[in-house]
């Protein structure tokens, strides 16, 4: 029997330039509501740490600020979704290009219900300043690597964000404000699609 729409996992994609605050806002949503946060970047970094068969390729592409082939990223995301008992996911930092969008359709497609894309809009100068004070030991948090990542963002990810706008699935939030001000708008956007009053903390 076909699954009803409410039984399939509900997904919000969270996009924005590097350092715009995606991880920070997702963490706050997880703290307050029943969302599971899946950061594509974190899952990929996990493969490097584990020394998995894709680890060397992922490391090389990350060093170059490039985007990893979707079969790798989407498999990690979909496996994590299947292993989770949750039904609501924040997918952070994905999809980043057309290959990612097409791969998601092919690999996940109707098996998830993508509600919208939450876009954290932030000037690149603010993003650079934030990643330079992040100090989480990420090898791509340098001005040189930031330049590669932001160039890829403008070239490949901005058209994807625009695509969500054309299909009326984009919620844009200026994120060059305090974490709490951004979060207030994030909650409003989430509340437009989810009955968040009914979520238990
Ligand atoms: N609104 C904000 N104001 C000031 N600092 C912030 C804000 N949001 C996040 N930060 C800080 O900026 C840094 C980057 O935030 P975060 O890691 O959430 O960004 P990100 O979008 O996930 O970045 P990346 O794409 O590189 O993973 C962190 O040190 C975080 O504490
Ligand atoms: O879907 C994705 C997500 C990430 N990457 C690669 O990882 C780094 C870091 O990503 P963050 O979101 O900043 O943690 C990114 O520069 C890409 O190289 C990816 O390829 N695909
Ligand atoms: Mg992040």
């Amino acid at each position: 029997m076909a699954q009803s729409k409410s039984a399939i996992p509900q997904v919000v994609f969270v996009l924005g330039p590097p350092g715009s605050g995606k991880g920070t806002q997702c963490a706050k949503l997880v703290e307050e509501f029943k969302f599971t946060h899946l950061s594509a970047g974190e899952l990929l970094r996990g493969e490097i740490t584990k020394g998995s068969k894709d680890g060397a390729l992922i490391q090389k592409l990350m060093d170059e600020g490039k985007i990893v082939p979707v079969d790798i990223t989407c498999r990690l995301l979909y496996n994590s979704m299947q292993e989770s008992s949750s039904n609501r996911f924040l997918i952070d930092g994905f999809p980043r290009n057309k290959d990612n969008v097409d791969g998601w359709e092919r690999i996940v497609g109707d098996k998830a219900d993508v509600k919208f894309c939450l876009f954290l809009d932030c000037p690149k100068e603010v993003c650079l300043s934030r990643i330079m004070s992040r100090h989480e030991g990420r090898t791509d948090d340098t001005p040189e690597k930031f330049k590669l990542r932001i160039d890829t963002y403008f070239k490949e990810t901005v058209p994807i964000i625009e695509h969500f706008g054309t299909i009326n699935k984009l919620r844009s939030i200026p994120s060059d404000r305090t974490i709490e001000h951004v979060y207030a708008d994030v909650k409003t956007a989430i509340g437009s699609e989810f009955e968040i009053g009914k979520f238990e903390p």
Side-chain angles (χ1 to χ4, degrees):
M1 195 204 287
Q3 282 182 309
S4 77
K5 199 79 169 161
S6 64
I8 64 174
Q10 298 177 311
V11 168
V12 173
F13 290 138
V14 183
L15 293 177
S20 54
K22 301 180 292 295
T24 302
Q25 294 298 324
C26 288
K28 290 185 73 63
L29 284 171
V30 167
E31 207 175 284
E32 194 171 3
F33 305 111
K34 277 191 172 173
F35 277 102
T36 295
H37 174 208
L38 297 178
S39 159
E42 289 295 333
L43 289 169
L44 292 167
R45 280 187 284 278
E47 293 300 288
I48 298 172
T49 309
K50 274 193 271 179
S52 80
K53 68 172 173 48
D54 297 319
L57 172 66
I58 295 169
Q59 177 78 74
K60 177 180 177 293
L61 293 170
M62 273 193 185
D63 283 346
E64 295 168 349
K66 291 183 181 160
I67 298 170
V68 171
V70 70
D71 282 356
I72 297 175
T73 314
C74 207
R75 176 178 50 75
L76 291 168
L77 288 170
Y78 193 48
N79 287 349
S80 300
M81 287 170 69
Q82 288 185 304
E83 282 162 16
S84 169
S85 56
S86 172
N87 200 37
R88 290 192 176 96
F89 296 92
L90 301 165
I91 298 195
D92 160 2
F94 179 95
R96 276 173 130 91
N97 64 4
K98 177 131 186 359
D99 175 56
N100 282 184
V101 171
D102 293 346
W104 174 271
E105 264 320 300
R106 181 166 39 82
I107 297 165
V108 182
D110 286 346
K111 296 191 284 295
D113 180 14
V114 176
K115 292 297 189 184
F116 58 84
C117 170
L118 185 70
F119 167 44
L120 298 181
D121 192 6
C122 196
K124 65 179 180 186
E125 297 74 18
V126 175
C127 290
L128 174 60
S129 143
R130 286 185 188 169
I131 67 132
M132 290 315 294
S133 44
R134 180 156 55 182
H135 308 304
E136 285 179 4
R138 279 180 55 168
T139 55
D140 55 357
D141 279 350
T142 66
E144 297 74 24
K145 296 281 164 66
F146 177 80
K147 166 91 174 73
L148 299 173
R149 292 158 67 198
I150 197 90
D151 285 353
T152 300
Y153 166 77
F154 282 118
K155 197 169 152 210
E156 301 196 45
T157 310
V158 167
I160 301 309
I161 293 165
E162 289 169 350
H163 157 76
F164 283 111
T166 64
I167 60 170
N168 202 22
K169 282 197 174 189
L170 186 66
R171 308 285 182 273
S172 300
I173 294 172
S175 69
D176 55 336
R177 298 174 294 153
T178 66
I179 290 172
E180 290 308 327
H181 278 106
V182 177
Y183 187 57
D185 287 353
V186 165
K187 278 211 303 192
T188 302
I190 291 289
S192 72
E193 278 291 337
F194 296 87
E195 291 183 79
I196 55 174
K198 291 191 180 161
F199 285 28
E200 294 118 51

